[in-house]
Amino acid sequence: MFVAPSILSADFGRLDEEIKAICNSGCDMVHVDVMDGHFVPNLTIGPVVVEAVAKATTKPLDIHLMVQNNSFFVDLFAPLKPKFLSFHIEEEKHPHRLIQKIRDYGICPAVTLNPHTPPESIEYLLGDIDMVLLMSVNPGFGGQKFIPSVLKKVRKLRQMIDINDAKVLIEVDGGVNGLNVRELDEAGVDVVVAGSYVFGSSDYKQAIDSLKV
Ligand code: DX5
Ligand code: ZN
């Protein structure tokens, strides 16, 4: 299991230190939540702060856009060269075009699904993307409770990926902890995002290790 701590739960007053601490504690990527106050009822960080994150990290960035007007935000964050850039399918009329735009920047495109969005909605995108991010909470805030029906969705998506022989990772984001990670692994998840579980722990290395099932 790959582990991507979400910096949403980090201490932003000591951001540089926090990023270095998770990188030195064995995380695989650094998950960055970009919220615009429109698509979700919360507002987070823009490229100025993410640039500081990019300077501090020794691990690839995984940028999760929770915004309206995806194309504008892709242009804003692409210069920071994240490994993955994901957008919400619920907010995109022309996903193929946006995926191509992300790919043209040399970034791996990923598509995110809200907890209620069926995996079939992206069946015809599976050949074009590198990762699917399944939300296991309603996007907007850290520290929410895991929605168990996402496990069924992971299994279905895993089948769809295998049938299509697609090279696509499955990432799950929201309410992930040391207790539910095993079930996620068994269902076919490749990457877990964890915010409050990692940053709320007194030992980041122990928390990250406990997710590496
Ligand atoms: C929620 C964000 C998550 C969030 C996860 O909208 O996308 O990345 O930080 O936080 P936890 O792990 O606390 O649920
Ligand atoms: Zn996220």
Side-chain angles (χ1 to χ4, degrees), residues 1-6 28-29 31 62 133 146 170-174 176-177 180-182 184-185 189-195 198 208 210-213:
M1 185 69 79
F2 295 120
V3 179
S6 159
D28 299 287
M29 294 199 284
H31 185 84
D62 173 30
L133 169 48
F146 181 83
I170 302 179
E171 181 178 48
V172 167
D173 181 5
V176 174
N177 56 45
N180 56 24
V181 70
R182 208 161 291 277
L184 288 166
D185 178 55
V189 174
D190 304 292
V191 187
V192 284
V193 175
V198 171
I208 289 169
S210 72
L211 296 173
K212 296 211 164 202
V213 291

Side-chain angles (χ1 to χ4, degrees), residues 12 21 84 97 118 131 179 188 195 199 204:
F12 272 67
F84 291 100
R97 183 182 293 151
M131 187 163 77
L179 295 176
F199 286 101
Y204 294 173

Side-chain angles (χ1 to χ4, degrees), residues 6-23 30-32 45-46 48-57 199 204:
S6 159
I7 61 163
L8 193 59
S9 294
D11 178 350
F12 272 67
R14 298 186 300 111
L15 194 53
D16 186 73
E17 223 178 287
E18 292 273 74
I19 305 287
K20 286 182 176 132
I22 51 167
C23 290
V30 174
H31 185 84
V32 178
I45 52 178
V48 173
V49 177
V50 181
E51 199 177 341
V53 176
K55 278 191 187 132
T57 187
F199 286 101
Y204 294 173

Side-chain angles (χ1 to χ4, degrees), residues 6 8-9 31 33 35 64 66 135 137-144 173-176 193-197:
S6 159
L8 193 59
S9 294
H31 185 84
D33 290 303
M35 306 184 188
H64 173 193
M66 285 159 273
M135 291 307 299
V137 297
N138 285 292
F141 303 94
Q144 301 180 81
D173 181 5
V176 174
V193 175
S196 50
Y197 179 69

